[in-house]
Amino acid sequence: MSDEIPLIEAPKSRLPLIGGVAVIVLAVVAAAIFLLTRGEDDAPRATGKDGATALSGDEPVKVVLGTVGASDPYWETFKKAAEDAGIELEIKDFAEYPVPNPALSAGELDANQFQHIVYLAQYNVANDDDLVPLGSTAIYPLGLYSQKYDDVADIPDGETVIVPDDDSNQARGLLVLQSAGLIKLKDGGSIFSTVADVDQSASRVKVKALQADLTPTSLPDVAAAIVNNDFVEDAGLKFDDAIAVDDPSDPKAVPYVNIFAVRAEDKDNPALKKLVEVYQDTQDVLDGADEASGGTAEFVKVSQADLEKSLHDVEKQIREQK
């Protein structure tokens, strides 16, 4: 990635009650409608028509956050820390990466936290959407795993290696394979590389792409596979088992900083901004997230302005590639 993308660290109210018998009937009807439209939880949503709600400390605001892999214990720690900050956090877990962004656009979620800048940029361009980053979390190294070989050097020529099929992680996985000496990419590779860019005559292995959550299931039928962090432990693997990883400190890794994403109209929402602060500044949350990543997380604080600039730059490059 070019140095255009900087990485900057810094640490309804209820219906009124009216007297009289008729009012009792109206109240029952109103209560039924209320439960149908808002559910049993009466905390105002932080977005939508309640978007201007400030965190006063008198009443919590509700935030619905989507992610992939919410079974990790630190999410409960995050919920408790958010509660202490006046936010009632509901976490919706999704099994596949393609789902949380459309759910956010449709208003099912107030925010999501599962993707990096490149993934969001590719989604926005492909879907003519305008989701934006709100805050950063961490950069997670992407690993190559094998159940046949303990070292990249042991992989015989001509074997097959699997990478994720989504555009952003496919390119990143290919760069890992190139750094490990398994393949050579035309023109040196970039965040837009695909399997079609593999120079077969100069590469040691064949590369195939599979859906991200299926790459671990390809083992041990293939020599090795790039496995996204969210699926490593679910596949019975350990992060230490990776036989090759990318380097989070490499400038090429900057576009892969993970983010909280929101709808454009919510980028200044005080409750959502507070939620990001809770994540970034609560050590128990960071410790839990680091443990869930096998100690691989590199936490970073990137200003919202720089995140937006990064997104804009990557989106521009994607459009220019077409």
Side-chain angles (χ1 to χ4, degrees):
M1 187 63 194
S2 70
D3 56 8
E4 293 178 271
I5 302 179
L7 176 65
I8 298 179
E9 291 195 27
K12 293 183 181 178
S13 59
R14 295 180 179 272
L15 293 175
L17 296 179
I18 312 171
V21 175
V23 174
I24 296 176
V25 177
L26 289 173
V28 171
V29 174
I33 295 173
F34 180 83
L35 290 175
L36 285 172
T37 57
R38 289 183 63 176
E40 296 180 0
D41 185 357
D42 62 358
R45 281 284 287 274
T47 59
K49 62 184 177 182
D50 293 323
T53 302
L55 290 170
S56 64
D58 299 327
E59 183 181 19
V61 293
K62 182 175 181 179
V63 173
V64 182
L65 175 73
T67 190
V68 177
S71 59
D72 293 325
Y74 79 89
W75 287 107
E76 286 301 318
T77 305
F78 186 27
K79 286 178 67 174
K80 179 61 171 64
E83 180 183 347
D84 292 342
I87 299 171
E88 181 183 316
L89 180 60
E90 177 185 341
I91 299 174
K92 289 194 175 184
D93 194 12
F94 295 91
E96 299 178 351
Y97 292 132
V99 185
N101 279 334
L104 177 58
S105 291
E108 179 183 342
L109 307 174
D110 301 315
N112 66 40
Q113 198 260 81
F114 76 101
Q115 65 192 320
H116 43 56
I117 289 172
V118 176
Y119 190 98
L120 178 58
Q122 290 173 329
Y123 168 82
N124 277 348
V125 173
N127 295 276
D128 193 26
D129 211 336
D130 62 350
L131 301 182
V132 297
L134 184 69
S136 60
T137 59
I139 295 178
Y140 298 92
L142 189 63
L144 177 69
Y145 296 83
S146 175
Q147 292 180 358
K148 291 183 176 181
Y149 307 104
D150 296 326
D151 193 290
V152 171
D154 297 333
I155 299 177
D157 292 357
E159 286 278 1
T160 298
V161 175
I162 302 297
V163 295
D165 67 355
D166 59 278
D167 292 341
S168 59
N169 288 306
Q170 181 174 162
R172 190 181 182 190
L174 291 170
L175 291 171
V176 172
L177 299 186
Q178 178 169 258
S179 296
L182 291 171
I183 66 170
K184 185 174 180 60
L185 294 166
K186 299 170 186 176
D187 299 323
S190 71
I191 61 173
F192 306 107
S193 295
T194 69
V195 171
D197 295 314
V198 176
D199 183 345
Q200 297 291 352
S201 63
S203 298
R204 287 185 49 213
V205 298
K206 300 174 184 177
V207 183
K208 293 184 179 180
L210 281 179
Q211 189 171 304
D213 59 320
L214 298 180
T215 62
T217 66
S218 66
L219 302 170
D221 297 328
V222 297
I226 294 289
V227 180
N228 289 40
N229 281 357
D230 289 324
F231 306 120
V232 169
E233 293 184 326
D234 290 344
L237 301 169
K238 296 180 181 178
F239 292 98
D240 290 343
D241 293 337
I243 59 176
V245 295
D246 59 3
D247 181 1
S249 65
D250 188 321
K252 287 186 177 180
V254 172
Y256 298 105
V257 59
N258 279 39
I259 57 171
F260 285 86
V262 297
R263 292 179 293 276
E265 62 266 28
D266 291 322
K267 71 176 187 176
D268 297 318
N269 183 288
L272 299 182
K273 282 179 171 289
K274 183 65 176 179
L275 187 67
V276 172
E277 291 177 13
V278 169
Y279 185 98
Q280 293 178 338
D281 297 336
T282 304
Q283 193 60 47
D284 286 346
V285 173
L286 299 180
D287 290 344
D290 189 47
E291 181 179 354
S293 75
T296 64
E298 294 285 342
F299 296 103
V300 292
K301 286 186 179 181
V302 184
S303 73
Q304 187 176 11
D306 286 326
L307 289 173
E308 288 192 73
K309 182 182 184 304
S310 297
L311 178 67
H312 173 78
D313 290 345
V314 176
E315 288 178 348
K316 180 180 177 182
Q317 292 176 56
I318 293 172
R319 292 187 179 97
E320 289 172 349
Q321 292 284 319
K322 293 188 174 184

